Amino acid sequence: AQTVTQSQPEMSVQEAETVTLSCTYDTSESDYYLFWYKQPPSRQMILVIRQEAYKQQNATENRFSVNFQKAAKSFSLKISDSQLGDAAMYFCAYRRGSNQFYFGTGTSLTVIP
Amino acid sequence: EADIYQTPRYLVIGTGKKITLECSQTMGHDKMYWYQQDPGMELHLIHYSYGVNSTEKGDLSSESTVSRIRTEHFPLTLESARPSHTSQYLCASIGGPGGETQYFGPGTRLLVL
């Protein structure tokens, strides 16, 4: 069964605008971690932002922020003031307590100049 | 970016050949992982290790093997490569403030003819 679902295979955004990438997950645990990773074309996958489930406050890293809805099991990523360098595949990931990670199928983000 | 390295970056090889994909990290992380990634698909865990002399198979059935003789080194071996092994292979290790974040290598793109 799919643990992490990203329902948007592709998204596009105008440069300087805001875009939101969706992610839902399935778990029966109360304590876990959620992540958004960015993978530019032919480049290394890097961490964008992480959220600890027991923290109610949404994580923020500069232009990147999340909307974490624990009850709804939703973890969306908002990118503000989009830049050309934001173009990449974005993966949502869930970490179980056993140190195993589960990834979504990714969202390909295009930034239009 | 994290100090995790993979070689080779690209490999084209004939069916039946034995190959070893190298992964090393200089961060002293105990937990390391190998994923297989196909376009438009989620990352599939094929092997992981929680430390020296510890290796486990992941969710994806694989004909590969791994070893963990040193903390910093986690090579993946295919005894007899097949076209179905054509994919990208990502190595990762866990670190971060609470030891909860995965850091990825640049990946090895494998093509088996």
Side-chain angles (χ1 to χ4, degrees):
Chain A
Q2 183 68 28
T3 300
V4 179
T5 302
Q6 293 180 250
S7 59
Q8 306 154 316
E10 298 177 345
M11 291 283 284
S12 62
V13 62
Q14 207 76 31
E15 194 175 3
E17 297 295 311
T18 296
V19 65
T20 298
L21 309 184
S22 301
C23 173
T24 58
Y25 58 95
D26 186 27
T27 185
S28 57
E29 300 180 7
S30 59
D31 193 17
Y32 48 88
Y33 288 92
L34 295 163
F35 306 85
W36 277 99
Y37 283 91
K38 170 186 176 182
Q39 188 178 38
S42 300
R43 291 183 60 188
Q44 204 154 343
M45 189 175 298
I46 58 173
L47 177 70
V48 175
I49 199 166
R50 68 174 151 247
Q51 174 81 41
E52 298 164 80
Y54 67 86
K55 288 187 176 180
Q56 293 186 341
Q57 186 173 6
N58 289 326
T60 299
E61 288 287 342
N62 301 315
R63 298 181 295 106
F64 299 88
S65 61
V66 298
N67 183 7
F68 174 47
Q69 302 288 329
K70 192 171 184 179
K73 298 178 184 176
S74 171
F75 183 61
S76 60
L77 174 70
K78 185 171 84 170
I79 306 174
S80 304
D81 186 26
S82 296
Q83 301 175 0
L84 295 178
D86 295 334
M89 281 290 290
Y90 286 82
F91 291 93
C92 178
Y94 161 87
R95 178 198 163 183
R96 231 169 48 179
S98 61
N99 291 323
Q100 287 203 25
F101 288 70
Y102 296 87
F103 290 80
T105 52
T107 296
S108 177
L109 179 66
T110 299
V111 180
I112 303 166
Chain B
E1 293 185 357
D3 295 324
I4 184 164
Y5 309 97
Q6 290 184 244
T7 57
R9 294 291 311 279
Y10 304 92
L11 180 61
V12 181
I13 201 165
T15 296
K17 299 292 185 183
K18 177 180 179 179
I19 57 172
T20 296
L21 308 184
E22 302 287 349
C23 175
S24 60
Q25 49 95 6
T26 58
M27 299 169 286
H29 292 167
D30 286 326
K31 300 180 180 69
M32 296 187 73
Y33 302 77
W34 275 104
Y35 291 93
Q36 186 172 335
Q37 183 187 25
D38 293 312
M41 302 290 288
E42 64 266 43
L43 278 68
H44 290 286
L45 179 67
I46 49 177
H47 292 283
Y48 59 99
S49 168
Y50 286 168
V52 172
N53 294 325
S54 154
T55 61
E56 300 287 344
K57 290 200 171 193
D59 298 329
L60 181 66
S61 175
S62 172
E63 293 149 341
S64 58
T65 59
V66 292
S67 62
R68 191 86 183 277
I69 299 173
R70 303 197 316 265
T71 297
E72 63 271 21
H73 196 214
F74 190 42
L76 175 80
T77 298
L78 282 168
E79 292 292 334
S80 180
R82 294 214 293 261
S84 61
H85 294 138
T86 294
S87 188
Q88 174 161 252
Y89 293 84
L90 297 178
C91 181
S93 67
I94 281 187
E100 78 287 345
T101 301
Q102 277 197 327
Y103 295 95
F104 286 86
T108 294
R109 288 192 180 275
L110 173 65
L111 173 61
V112 183
L113 301 175

